[in-house]
Amino acid sequence: MSSDVAESDLVAGIPRRRIVIASMMGTTIEFYDFYIYATAAVSVFPHLFFPKGDSTTALLASLATFGLAFVARPVGSILFGHFGDRAGRKTTLVASLLLMGIATFAIGLLPTYPQVGLVAPALLAVMRFCQGLALGGEWSGAALLATETAKPGKRGWAAMWPQLGAPFGFLLANALFVALILWLGHSNLTSDPNGPFLTWGWRVPFLLSAVMVAIGLYVRLRIMETPVFTRAVARGEKVKAPLAEVFRTSWRQLIIGTFVMLATYTIFYIVTTWALSFGTAKSPPAGTGLGFGYVDFLQMQLIAVLFFAATLPVSGLLSDRFGRRRLLLVVTAGIMAYGALFAPMLGSGHTSYGTMLGFLIIGMTLMGFTFAPMSAVLPELFPTNVRYTGSGISYNVASILGAAVAPFIATWLATEYGVSWVGLYLFIAASLSFVAILIMRETKDASLDSVERAEPLL
């Protein structure tokens, strides 16, 4: 290997592979922590943290605490974005990982409703809010770590690596739940509140996060600050109040970025959280779901998420070759068409295993193609001195509009009007994203080493 090639693989003396690992491992841990809550919100918390009564009411209450984190995420993006744009990317990423780890570990120690009454869901809500704060700061920091150290013309590929943390975290979280359920003999259709899974087994994934966080901290503490941020500091380009500055100079980018991200969030949490609750609910005439066993459905999701992971690198390469805007227009149109499949594939109440698996695979494949470019697109919309704050706010405000309410709204629509309305809901969300992408400028060749305000519209 020539010295020139060796030099091109270094960023401020740090091997690029270490930066890749640091960005990907951190998001893997953060998303693992986030997803174990999402899984438990369907299978555990309705039984242990809310008053006994109507099962649908308990599920909706549990999904409401699930959505609370998405309300916290914009707050986290503001909090961590301030320090990310003032103190640097590295320090802020370490802090966000610590907060997520502490909150997740604490959930594994919480008392349940039969033990302490309403204190249990209150504590659960506080810890979920802390998870949201942490993830609100994590994603944009990891995206900036990747994009601000990327080779010229390869930002889409570099930015894809932290996005892999989402399917990897999903795989770890759901695989661990499947293993525990099989080992402890739990069934969602005949849940035993005194069985080992609901007594103590559900706590294991939350407690194990402490080990993963320790590994992630070790990796992140061995990286350096990004050269782009270092040069901005040297030029005296830091601002005292990144939040005020981003609203003053880049409010158009905030709006465009939020709606560009809307369809990505909506499809993911419909295909994961809502589909899990709908697929494992009792089928007619006893219920309004599809009646799949919990383990069977988690196994289908694990298969489908492999397609999510596989399409991320392909999408990253395509976004570098053809541009972010062109790729996202095609994929978002595909998401709109996917909404029309809900009624024929899920509407009978007696969907086969193969049909359900196909439905999940299509959704996760579309998710992979739309998710990969986002960690390049959103940072590229904003100048250096407000990039952490701006990209984080766009990403996380979209999480409220497209994720926090998606499982709740989809559950209500499916119960009251049928699954075709869930497909229509996804179609509307994707249509809004399509319009935002259509009027957005191409960002592939935008300079990241600048405080100049980029015009976001055509």
Side-chain angles (χ1 to χ4, degrees):
M1 180 181 293
S2 70
S3 58
D4 289 342
V5 174
E7 184 67 23
S8 70
D9 287 332
L10 297 175
V11 179
I14 302 297
R16 288 186 190 276
R17 64 178 179 273
R18 187 184 300 175
I19 297 171
V20 165
I21 292 171
S23 64
M24 183 173 64
M25 179 171 287
T27 53
T28 298
I29 295 167
E30 297 266 14
F31 279 104
Y32 164 84
D33 289 353
F34 211 69
Y35 291 152
I36 56 175
Y37 191 103
T39 303
V42 174
S43 63
V44 175
F45 298 149
H47 303 289
L48 298 181
F49 282 86
F50 298 94
K52 290 185 177 180
D54 181 73
S55 60
T56 300
T57 301
L59 175 61
L60 289 174
S62 182
L63 290 176
T65 64
F66 168 78
L68 180 63
F70 294 97
V71 177
R73 283 169 67 163
V75 180
S77 68
I78 293 170
L79 174 65
F80 287 103
H82 175 86
F83 292 104
D85 285 325
R86 292 283 301 162
R89 312 337 188 183
K90 175 185 173 179
T91 302
T92 308
L93 278 169
V94 169
S96 68
L97 186 59
L98 267 175
L99 178 59
M100 176 66 88
I102 291 170
T104 305
F105 184 81
I107 290 174
L109 300 175
L110 289 181
T112 60
Y113 182 84
Q115 295 170 323
V116 295
L118 292 175
V119 174
L123 290 174
L124 185 65
V126 171
M127 293 302 103
R128 183 59 175 169
F129 190 86
C130 290
Q131 280 191 318
L133 286 178
L135 195 56
E138 163 64 29
W139 179 86
S140 49
L144 266 58
L145 180 64
T147 55
E148 291 184 346
T149 58
K151 292 181 180 180
K154 300 292 184 181
R155 280 206 303 257
W157 174 254
M160 174 275 302
W161 291 102
Q163 303 297 72
L164 276 171
F168 287 175
F170 187 93
L171 284 167
L172 284 172
N174 278 14
L176 185 52
F177 263 106
V178 168
L180 283 167
I181 289 168
L182 290 174
W183 176 40
L184 299 175
H186 177 72
S187 170
N188 64 292
L189 299 179
T190 56
S191 297
D192 179 7
N194 298 315
F197 179 76
L198 289 180
T199 302
W200 60 266
W202 69 271
R203 299 180 184 272
V204 173
F206 291 92
L207 299 177
L208 283 179
S209 68
V211 177
M212 299 178 65
V213 168
I215 297 171
L217 288 174
Y218 171 77
V219 173
R220 285 199 166 167
L221 289 170
R222 297 178 70 231
I223 61 173
M224 303 295 289
E225 188 53 74
T226 71
V228 171
F229 181 79
T230 302
R231 288 192 292 269
V233 172
R235 294 191 299 264
E237 294 170 350
K238 286 197 302 183
V239 293
K240 291 183 178 180
L243 178 62
E245 182 70 11
V246 78
F247 276 102
R248 185 180 71 83
T249 63
S250 304
W251 60 270
R252 293 180 181 85
Q253 288 92 321
L254 288 173
I255 296 172
I256 291 295
T258 297
F259 282 97
V260 164
M261 190 70 200
L262 179 63
T264 304
Y265 265 123
T266 306
I267 188 174
F268 184 74
Y269 283 96
I270 283 180
V271 173
T272 54
T273 304
W274 171 77
L276 177 62
S277 64
F278 179 73
T280 57
K282 293 180 180 179
S283 58
T288 58
L290 297 178
F292 285 100
Y294 189 70
V295 171
D296 291 337
F297 203 91
L298 283 183
Q299 288 173 339
M300 283 190 281
Q301 286 193 323
L302 289 173
I303 294 170
V305 84
L306 294 176
F307 288 81
F308 177 16
T311 51
L312 284 169
V314 178
S315 184
L317 290 171
L318 291 174
S319 73
D320 279 333
R321 181 170 182 180
F322 299 107
R324 327 300 188 211
R325 184 170 170 272
R326 187 184 303 179
L327 173 63
L328 288 173
L329 283 172
V330 172
V331 178
T332 306
I335 295 173
M336 294 164 65
Y338 180 61
L341 298 179
F342 278 60
M345 298 188 80
L346 307 180
S348 67
H350 301 284
T351 302
S352 69
Y353 184 97
T355 301
M356 189 72 241
L357 179 59
F359 176 84
L360 295 175
I361 287 174
I362 295 171
M364 284 297 193
T365 298
L366 289 167
M367 176 63 191
F369 277 111
T370 187
F371 189 56
M374 292 301 172
S375 57
V377 170
L378 297 186
E380 287 168 349
L381 284 172
F382 296 92
T384 305
N385 57 355
V386 295
R387 185 169 295 133
Y388 204 124
T389 302
S391 61
I393 290 175
S394 292
Y395 183 84
N396 291 298
V397 171
S399 76
I400 294 179
L401 302 177
V405 298
F408 191 95
I409 290 176
T411 298
W412 178 75
L413 286 173
T415 301
E416 296 294 326
Y417 302 106
V419 293
S420 63
W421 283 78
V422 181
L424 178 60
Y425 169 51
L426 177 60
F427 175 86
I428 293 171
S431 298
L432 293 173
S433 288
F434 189 87
V435 172
I437 298 163
L438 191 65
I439 63 177
M440 180 189 78
R441 281 189 181 273
E442 177 56 61
T443 61
K444 180 171 73 76
D445 298 319
S447 172
L448 294 187
D449 203 0
S450 171
V451 294
E452 295 179 1
R453 181 174 57 180
E455 179 55 55
L457 307 180
L458 285 173

